Amino acid sequence: MISILPNIIFSIILIFAIGFFARNIQRLIKVIKLGKPVERTDNPRKRISNLVRIALGQSKMVIKPISGILHVIVYVGFIIINIELLEILIDGITGSHRFFSKYFNPNFYNFLIASFEIFALLVLISVIIFWTRRNIMKIKRFLSSEMNGWPKFDADNILYFEVVLMLLFLSMNATDLILQDRNFDGYYKAGAFPVSSFLVPLFDSFSTSTIYVLERVFWWSHILGILFFLNYLYYSKHLHILLAFPNTYYSNLEVKGKFSVLESVKNEVMLMFYPERASNENSQVEKFGASDVLDLNWVQLMNAYSCTECGRCTSECPANQTGKKLSPRKIMMDTRDRLEKVSINISNNKGKFVDDGDRLLDNYISKEELWACTSCNACVEACPINIDPLSIIMDMRQYLIMEESSAHPDLNNMMNNIENNGAPWPYNQLDRELWVQETK
């Protein structure tokens, strides 16, 4: 009974960790579904192509070669090392030692373990470079005001965590190798260790019993750290590890720069000019545009949770480059923060939102930010996973114009002229010849 106690404890911890993770994912889906419906199931072939090319293939990451290549190393390392994780989970449940070595060809198994170690080292180096870029080189896009406080703490935390996990993994293998060499009970020869073998001198002077304790400490710390990291994702910007795939699949396939048309407004125009082509259905809407997160569609809400706060959108934004207040990254972060507050409000009030005196417009995102946008789509083009800050900006602008009539004075003048004169200029249509003379 004593010999299987660790396996029982491990199984209980694993079930609890997976259950907590599943609960958080269910909650995440529920919150995203608070958004308004939008049709994004057209052209599945193109959508799958986007998913494979952008999310799986990291095609937009490598546009910035240094950070892109480093990210690809971490990404590939994460995938490959998870094969080792599967073996660790089986060993933890069954009490076996290097389970796959019993069923794989020895040479193939040695190749696998060696690959895991090499990628662990590459991930370790990449993460250290990432930390250096953020905290020593202080690259501009990591220094914006929205990155103060929790965002910076969270980003650094992830890097520290990955360093610790890789060191634990290599230390676990190093002590495992020593136990194999000493023919310790249950530790038979299996695997090749091109990286962790260099750590052997750090532990080789200890007694076999001490090495065994260390190996168990490293093993437990490594797997518990991974399970903790799995559940930390929900509270971190690294939720994009999971959401990047649906986010790219459901991204907008329309030509860049093409804006959506409100069917209710379109139908009103059709009734005036082409009544025979207008819809007979009631196309009235309760509200034009968006002033709060519940006015946004579910893809926009998923975008907010998918944002990894890399700042590529903001670094490419011409408004931001010229010193204006707009930061597309902040738009997404503010949307996510407000959505979290709204979801808690709904949860605390039995599924109904109770007005809390706040809203996304003004309390989180200012009018100055919205009107600074040139609608150039640079932020959308720059995002590694096709997040669309512009759609949120335009929906909130629509609210300002159609619900509050609070557009910029110059824009109001232009719209009044279009309504009255059929052109942006303050001349009556009967005086069109004057426009020609004006340009001579």
Side-chain angles (χ1 to χ4, degrees):
M1 178 64 185
I2 295 177
S3 62
I4 65 170
L5 184 60
N7 310 119
I8 295 173
I9 294 173
F10 177 80
S11 299
I12 292 172
I13 292 173
L14 180 62
I15 292 170
F16 174 80
I18 293 175
F20 191 75
F21 174 74
R23 191 200 71 165
N24 279 339
I25 293 301
Q26 287 179 339
R27 179 177 180 270
L28 176 65
I29 294 172
K30 186 177 180 180
V31 172
I32 290 173
K33 285 184 175 180
L34 292 173
K36 294 185 178 300
V38 62
E39 177 55 42
R40 290 289 173 85
T41 57
D42 60 308
N43 201 345
R45 181 176 295 181
K46 176 65 174 175
R47 294 188 180 281
I48 292 173
S49 173
N50 282 348
L51 187 152
V52 172
R53 180 173 54 87
I54 298 172
L56 194 61
Q58 304 279 289
S59 62
K60 295 179 76 174
M61 280 300 306
V62 295
I63 292 174
K64 290 183 180 291
I66 296 177
S67 59
I69 291 171
L70 292 173
H71 189 277
V72 168
I73 290 172
V74 174
Y75 170 71
V76 174
F78 174 80
I79 294 173
I80 290 178
I81 293 172
N82 273 343
I83 302 173
E84 169 73 353
L85 174 62
L86 180 59
E87 183 180 54
I88 292 174
L89 292 176
I90 295 173
D91 286 347
I93 294 171
T94 65
S96 60
H97 173 253
R98 299 199 171 273
F99 179 84
F100 290 153
S101 66
K102 301 174 184 177
Y103 302 97
F104 291 172
N105 177 280
N107 292 330
F108 178 66
Y109 185 77
N110 289 345
F111 170 76
L112 276 181
I113 299 301
S115 300
F116 299 154
E117 291 215 340
I118 291 169
F119 271 105
L121 178 61
L122 291 175
V123 168
L124 187 60
I125 294 170
S126 300
V127 168
I128 292 172
I129 295 174
F130 276 137
W131 184 89
T132 303
R133 284 163 58 84
R134 281 181 175 272
N135 296 281
I136 297 178
M137 295 173 63
K138 295 185 176 180
I139 292 174
K140 184 179 178 181
R141 62 190 170 102
F142 299 131
L143 301 178
S144 302
S145 59
E146 67 263 22
M147 295 304 293
N148 295 330
W150 168 255
K152 175 171 172 47
F153 178 76
D154 177 44
D156 286 340
N157 257 0
I158 293 291
L159 298 178
Y160 297 141
F161 216 85
E162 289 177 344
V163 167
V164 170
L165 286 177
M166 293 304 102
L167 290 176
L168 285 171
F169 172 70
L170 294 173
S171 298
M172 175 188 76
N173 280 356
T175 49
D176 188 297
L177 176 59
I178 295 172
L179 292 173
Q180 291 182 30
D181 290 339
R182 295 184 184 181
N183 296 315
F184 189 75
D185 184 36
Y187 287 77
Y188 50 86
K189 289 282 186 178
F193 306 92
V195 179
S196 61
S197 58
F198 288 96
L199 300 179
V200 167
L202 296 176
F203 308 106
D204 210 18
S205 60
F206 295 114
S207 66
T208 301
S209 58
T210 302
I211 295 293
Y212 173 71
V213 171
L214 287 173
E215 192 273 338
R216 288 290 85 191
V217 169
F218 294 144
W219 188 94
W220 277 95
S221 299
H222 178 67
I223 188 62
L224 291 178
I226 289 174
L227 294 177
F228 177 83
F229 180 77
L230 177 70
N231 284 286
Y232 179 69
L233 287 180
Y234 176 79
Y235 306 96
S236 164
K237 73 187 186 73
H238 275 62
L239 193 57
H240 77 280
I241 292 174
L242 304 175
L243 290 182
F245 299 95
N247 200 81
T248 51
Y249 182 84
Y250 291 111
S251 59
N252 190 4
L253 298 183
E254 294 286 359
V255 177
K256 294 289 189 298
K258 180 179 179 180
F259 297 114
S260 59
V261 176
L262 279 176
E263 289 300 319
S264 56
V265 174
K266 178 181 177 181
N267 200 51
E268 289 294 322
V269 174
M270 296 293 279
L271 283 170
M272 287 188 289
F273 294 100
Y274 307 101
E276 71 282 358
R277 293 165 57 184
S279 172
N280 294 323
E281 296 180 7
N282 184 3
S283 58
Q284 294 297 317
V285 293
E286 295 180 4
K287 185 178 187 179
F288 294 107
S291 63
D292 211 345
V293 289
L294 295 181
D295 303 322
L296 301 174
N297 65 56
W298 66 268
V299 174
Q300 291 170 318
L301 300 189
M302 182 170 64
N303 281 179
Y305 276 118
S306 302
C307 179
T308 188
E309 302 170 11
C310 67
R312 292 190 180 204
C313 54
T314 295
S315 66
E316 297 295 328
C317 175
N320 187 272
Q321 289 175 3
T322 54
K324 294 182 175 61
K325 195 174 179 181
L326 174 64
S327 167
R329 171 174 57 190
K330 179 180 176 294
I331 297 292
M332 304 315 301
M333 293 170 69
D334 286 341
T335 302
R336 181 177 61 212
D337 290 345
R338 175 58 181 163
L339 181 55
E340 276 292 293
K341 187 175 180 181
V342 167
S343 67
I344 292 171
N345 179 309
I346 292 173
S347 178
N348 292 339
N349 291 285
K350 299 179 180 180
K352 293 183 179 181
F353 176 70
V354 176
D355 187 11
D356 58 1
D358 275 356
R359 62 176 185 172
L360 186 61
L361 178 63
D362 294 327
N363 297 102
Y364 290 79
I365 300 172
S366 68
K367 296 181 179 69
E368 180 183 352
E369 293 171 80
L370 297 176
W371 291 119
C373 177
T374 66
S375 66
C376 68
N377 263 294
C379 56
V380 184
E381 192 66 31
C383 180
I385 55 173
N386 284 6
I387 291 171
D388 188 359
L390 179 59
S391 67
I392 296 176
I393 292 172
M394 298 309 293
D395 283 354
M396 295 182 74
R397 277 186 177 180
Q398 189 176 74
Y399 175 84
L400 288 173
I401 293 172
M402 300 187 72
E403 294 283 346
E404 293 191 348
S405 300
S406 60
H408 189 279
D410 290 341
L411 187 57
N412 275 331
N413 289 336
M414 182 197 75
M415 289 188 291
N416 286 334
N417 289 331
I418 290 174
E419 181 179 359
N420 296 322
N421 305 322
W425 301 282
Y427 302 110
N428 190 284
Q429 294 193 45
L430 298 177
D431 299 326
R432 284 180 180 268
E433 291 184 3
L434 297 178
W435 304 359
V436 179
Q437 296 172 12
E438 187 80 14
T439 59
K440 288 183 179 180

